[in-house]
């Protein structure tokens, strides 16, 4: 099921760039995690090769527990020793963007350069609206939480209208897209499964078109994870 040009490794005794992340329900393959998805999109846009290392709690290396309290995802230069390790999505993507040049095919500029920084700030509360709606199991609160999600979609619609560009930060995918697209994926898959939710293209035409556009980007397509893993993960989040 794994996509992309990186590969999963059972052993982390290597000096290659590695991304430790949440494993799937089988404990081996890539699990559901929009934050790992964001990091992988950034790595893809940067054209970086890396080893993907889904890591079960009992297999977390001592350095990860000692230095980062076991936090995932974790990007590391040497997964054997923990040298060059970074956790927290915002720290990881900042580290990648500042450390590695952006290929000309991805625009050449830092992925977080303006206007990507403004777009990321504008959409900073998007995932909260998605997550609150999906996690809710009290039917009496669904209407209010759905309204909250639609407020977030309105922000996206309005931003796209004002920007007038195919992607949030310009003519090519950038950091803001890496942050938003994985959350749209969660909204689509888990929203439909648990809530019967589907994005209304008539109410949010720009957001719907943007979603399909970013879904077709190589950075997104090569880094997705199986829908069944998302359903499994969000089912647990919902206490099922």
């Amino acid at each position: 099921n794994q996509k992309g040009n990186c590969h999963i490794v059972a052993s982390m005794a290597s000096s290659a760039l590695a991304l430790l992340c949440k494993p799937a329900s089988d404990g081996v393959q890539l699990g559901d995690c929009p934050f790992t998805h964001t990091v992988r999109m950034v790595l893809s846009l940067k054209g970086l090769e890396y080893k993907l290392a889904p890591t079960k709690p009992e297999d977390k290396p001592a350095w990860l527990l000692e230095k980062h309290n076991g936090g995932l995802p974790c990007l590391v230069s040497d997964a054997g020793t923990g040298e060059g390790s970074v956790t927290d999505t915002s720290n990881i993507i900042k580290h990648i963007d500042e450390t590695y040049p952006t290929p000309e095919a991805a625009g050449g500029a830092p992925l977080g350069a303006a206007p990507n920084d403004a777009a990321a700030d504008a959409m900073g509360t998007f995932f909260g609206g998605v997550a609150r709606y999906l996690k809710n199991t009290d039917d009496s609160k669904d209407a209010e939480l759905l309204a909250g999600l639609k407020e977030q979609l309105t922000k996206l619609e309005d931003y796209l209208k004002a920007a007038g560009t195919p992607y949030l930060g310009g003519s090519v995918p950038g950091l803001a897209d890496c942050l938003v697209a994985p959350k749209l994926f969660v909204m689509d898959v888990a929203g439909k499964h648990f809530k019967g939710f589907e994005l209304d293209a008539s109410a949010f035409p720009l957001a719907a078109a943007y979603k399909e556009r970013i879904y077709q980007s190589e950075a997104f397509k090569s880094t997705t994870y199986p829908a069944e893993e998302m359903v499994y993960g969000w089912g647990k989040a919902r206490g099922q």
Side-chain angles (χ1 to χ4, degrees), residues 6-7 13 20 45 56 79 106 140-141 170 179 187 199 206 224 237:
C6 59
H7 57 280
L20 282 65
L45 289 177
K56 295 185 290 186
S140 68
K141 296 180 180 178
L179 289 164
M187 181 190 75
L199 181 61
L206 297 179
T224 55

Side-chain angles (χ1 to χ4, degrees), residues 46-68:
K46 288 286 187 176
L48 296 172
E49 293 186 359
Y50 60 99
K51 294 182 178 180
L52 189 65
T55 307
K56 295 185 290 186
E58 61 269 28
D59 293 334
K60 290 181 178 180
W63 60 260
L64 182 63
L65 297 171
E66 292 167 3
K67 294 174 65 176
H68 304 291

